[in-house]
Amino acid sequence: MTRLITSDISDIAENLKKYDTELVARTGHSMCGIACRAAEIDEDQIRNLLPEIRVGVIPITSGEGTIGGFADAVLKILLHMGANAFVTRTTDVAGIAESFEKKADIVMLADDARFVALHIQTRSIADNGACTGKAFATGLSLMAGGLEGREVLVIGCGSVGGSATKSLVRMGAGMSVYDINAEPAKALTSKIHQKFDTKIHFFEKLEPALRRHKYILDASPAGNIIHAQHITPDTYVSAPGMPSGLDPEAETAISNRYLHDPLQLGVATMLVDAAKYHFEHGQ
């Protein structure tokens, strides 16, 4: 996953209500609503269940170490969603033990390679990459009023872009992909073709891909790759990648037809995905 920095997440807690209001204005759904649609579970069921679910957030110090404010930002998102959540006072193995001692149903933890929510009773995993991809695909569809039969471009073919592409194919979108490295894009197109018997168009260059598409999901870690010249009155962009791929002029031009955040929708969908296991198994 993309490694965030403290400045990426420093204002999440104070702006959660504002962000939720913007999501409703742009998609017709709140953060919880988008997460539930992405996870394919009824929102009322989840809202009733979340206060009963104990979630432990465990800071991990391995690799490059903890990101300042990361655990607290995740906690604030979980509390905003209505979960009974806490951050462990200890880290790493001691933090895992503390979560068990505090009877956590779900634990969330991240290192340099993965960010996951583990449902302890069912041994199920909600992975941030997969959850972020399907959340932003869902958000793009909601903004655009549906994507069936429409041509969508996914930029970046890592775990987020791959998950988003699968979700968009299930929605009936016609798919194109681009990655600065050709091999991940080719591997993804082959995998999608085998699984869904659907042809995915692979673009070798970004500029013609952007000129051709009005519906774009930017899951790349590259900044300033989408410019004002690529934005039409019918362009919609959903951008889980960090930093944002839109330059400032493009952000101004696209106005409210744009979704972007560093953490919120991914964490919300991880929680709902893990809570779904809780609901389905009657824990």
Side-chain angles (χ1 to χ4, degrees):
M1 70 177 197
T2 300
R3 184 173 172 85
L4 300 172
I5 58 176
T6 299
S7 60
D8 291 333
I9 57 177
S10 59
D11 63 347
I12 283 177
E14 64 192 64
N15 287 317
L16 278 170
K17 289 183 179 179
K18 177 184 176 184
Y19 180 61
D20 235 355
T21 300
E22 290 174 352
L23 284 177
V24 172
R26 296 180 186 194
T27 71
H29 293 267
S30 67
M31 191 189 312
C32 186
I34 294 173
C36 288
R37 288 178 72 95
E40 299 180 348
I41 190 166
D42 182 81
E43 184 176 353
D44 289 337
Q45 292 175 330
I46 287 296
R47 285 195 180 277
N48 291 333
L49 180 63
L50 284 177
E52 302 174 11
I53 297 179
R54 190 104 164 109
V55 186
V57 182
I58 306 167
I60 301 295
T61 63
S62 66
E64 294 186 46
T66 56
I67 299 166
F70 180 81
D72 187 59
V74 172
L75 176 66
K76 293 300 193 297
I77 296 166
L78 299 177
L79 294 174
H80 179 78
M81 291 282 288
N84 177 10
F86 63 93
V87 174
T88 59
R89 290 174 293 129
T90 51
T91 64
D92 305 313
V93 174
I96 295 171
E98 183 183 335
S99 288
F100 274 69
E101 289 164 353
K102 292 182 175 178
K103 310 299 182 186
D105 301 297
I106 297 166
V107 295
M108 285 192 174
L109 60 169
D111 64 10
D112 297 346
R114 291 187 76 179
F115 176 23
V116 295
L118 308 176
H119 188 266
I120 293 169
Q121 293 286 349
T122 61
R123 289 182 273 183
S124 302
I125 300 173
D127 185 273
N128 178 261
C131 289
T132 299
K134 62 187 181 182
F136 276 85
T138 301
L140 180 62
S141 178
L142 290 168
M143 269 199 306
L147 292 171
E148 186 172 1
R150 293 175 168 177
E151 296 294 320
V152 180
L153 171 67
V154 171
I155 304 171
C157 296
S159 61
V160 176
S163 171
T165 301
K166 292 174 189 174
S167 294
L168 291 163
V169 167
R170 291 189 183 101
M171 295 174 191
M175 292 305 304
S176 298
V177 298
Y178 167 82
D179 196 291
I180 193 169
N181 299 312
E183 288 309 310
K186 290 179 180 177
L188 177 61
T189 59
S190 176
K191 183 184 295 185
I192 295 291
H193 178 69
Q194 290 175 10
K195 183 170 183 178
F196 298 99
D197 193 25
T198 299
K199 185 176 180 180
I200 308 293
H201 185 73
F202 164 58
F203 277 84
E204 295 185 359
K205 295 183 178 180
L206 181 58
E207 182 64 27
L210 289 172
R211 287 201 306 265
R212 178 172 166 176
H213 291 85
K214 296 179 181 178
Y215 306 99
I216 300 167
L217 192 143
D218 176 23
S220 79
N224 298 324
I225 58 174
I226 302 173
H227 309 295
Q229 68 203 47
H230 302 125
I231 306 300
T232 75
D234 300 319
T235 300
Y236 292 83
V237 177
S238 184
M242 285 297 296
S244 170
L246 277 73
D247 68 17
E249 290 78 15
E251 282 195 35
T252 299
I254 202 165
S255 185
N256 63 351
R257 291 168 282 116
Y258 173 53
L259 289 184
H260 173 67
D261 75 52
L263 200 60
Q264 294 93 308
L265 276 176
V267 170
T269 306
M270 290 170 71
L271 174 64
V272 170
D273 241 14
K276 183 171 71 171
Y277 299 132
H278 199 87
F279 176 81
E280 290 174 347
H281 291 269
Q283 302 296 333

